[in-house]
């Protein structure tokens, strides 16, 4: 599929699945480093001078852990040598300007992990304009029972929605934006679960509604990595309910151009 087709599909559906775009050498390197760090990382401090990787276990009460790319160089190489070139090749103009916002490794241990409720990423981001694309790929095969990503197709066209606590689905205090319906299918959206292998890559628009269920498969860890990029120059525009980890790295004032060492242009 050429870049026009991919970018048109992203424009129409708000999400695209790109099969077989990640070589095993990238996945194997990241998996090896992640396995080594997984049990040992305890840091919760957020550095102000470099991009971060958030380790987020989907178990109620778990605290997010923070590592840097110095500790996970394989992921930095993968972003530079695989993800960014793939986005540019497959999406053309859409991916011309990619400013790294944050990287999160979502982990769902078997049986005890929970649902991450319907949300759109930009609801949590203090940016204007709020134009973002996110890449997501798993480190293992994902199926519906293993917590695959599920999307409401075309929902990005509905504009900004309110942010909720992703574990409880309760909206934050002072949230006055309309919320995503509890079941987008009831609201007329086609809902699609993206079963995939670690060689595949999802790209979604920051406005597209998505959710993941629990990982119900015994002895099977589900790890998903999301790398988010801002695609237009933006200004810092904070409001309540925007507690993404990277917001603690921001050292500019509201209304100023969003920039800083943690947010490099790739
Ligand atoms: O990996 C997951 O389970 C959820 C990922 C997600 O919601 C996101 O990348 O925004």
């Amino acid at each position: 599929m050429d870049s026009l087709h991919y970018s048109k599909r992203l424009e129409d559906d708000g999400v695209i699945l790109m099969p077989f775009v990640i070589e095993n050498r990238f996945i194997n390197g990241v998996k090896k480093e992640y396995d080594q760090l997984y049990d040992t990382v305890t840091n919760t401090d957020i550095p102000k001078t470099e991009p971060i990787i958030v380790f987020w276990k989907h178990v109620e009460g778990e605290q997010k852990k923070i590592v840097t790319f110095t500790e996970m160089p394989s992921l930095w190489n993968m972003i530079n040598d695989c993800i960014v070139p793939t986005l540019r090749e497959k999406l053309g103009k859409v991916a011309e300007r990619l400013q790294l916002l944050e990287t999160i490794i979502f982990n769902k241990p078997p049986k005890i992990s929970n649902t991450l409720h319907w949300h759109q990423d930009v609801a949590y981001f203090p940016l204007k304009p709020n134009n973002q694309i996110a890449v997501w790929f798993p480190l293992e095969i994902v199926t519906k029972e293993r917590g695959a990503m599920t999307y409401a197709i075309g929902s990005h066209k509905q504009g900004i929605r309110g942010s909720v606590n992703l574990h409880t689905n309760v909206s934050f205090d002072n949230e006055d934006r309309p919320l995503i319906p509890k079941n987008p299918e009831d609201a007329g959206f086609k809902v699609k679960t993206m079963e995939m292998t670690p060689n595949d890559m999802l790209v979604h628009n920051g406005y597209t509604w998505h959710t993941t269920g629990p990982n119900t498969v015994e002895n099977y860890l589900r790890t998903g990595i999301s790398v988010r990029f801002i695609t237009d120059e933006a200004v810092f525009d904070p409001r309540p309910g925007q507690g993404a980890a990277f917001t603690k790295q921001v050292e500019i004032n509201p209304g100023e151009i969003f920039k800083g060492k943690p947010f490099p242009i790739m």
Side-chain angles (χ1 to χ4, degrees), residues 58 106 108 116 119 121 136 149 210 212 222 226 228:
H58 288 185
F106 295 93
K108 285 183 186 283
L116 206 73
H119 63 282
D121 297 340
W136 190 96
M149 293 282 271
H210 55 281
T212 55
R222 197 239 59 180
S226 177
R228 286 105 190 266

Side-chain angles (χ1 to χ4, degrees), residues 212-248:
T212 55
N215 169 17
T216 57
V217 177
E218 197 93 55
N219 298 323
Y220 193 92
L221 194 67
R222 197 239 59 180
T223 314
I225 302 188
S226 177
V227 188
R228 286 105 190 266
F229 300 97
I230 311 169
T231 53
D232 284 310
E233 186 172 89
V235 295
F236 182 43
D237 182 35
R239 53 165 286 133
Q242 291 171 329
F246 78 85
T247 58
K248 308 207 169 55

Side-chain angles (χ1 to χ4, degrees), residues 7-9 15 31 35 91 120 131 141-142 147 157 213:
S7 49
K8 176 84 172 73
R9 283 270 301 282
V15 57
K31 201 167 164 45
D35 286 347
L91 296 177
Q120 68 179 177
N131 294 336
I141 287 172
V142 278
K157 294 178 182 154

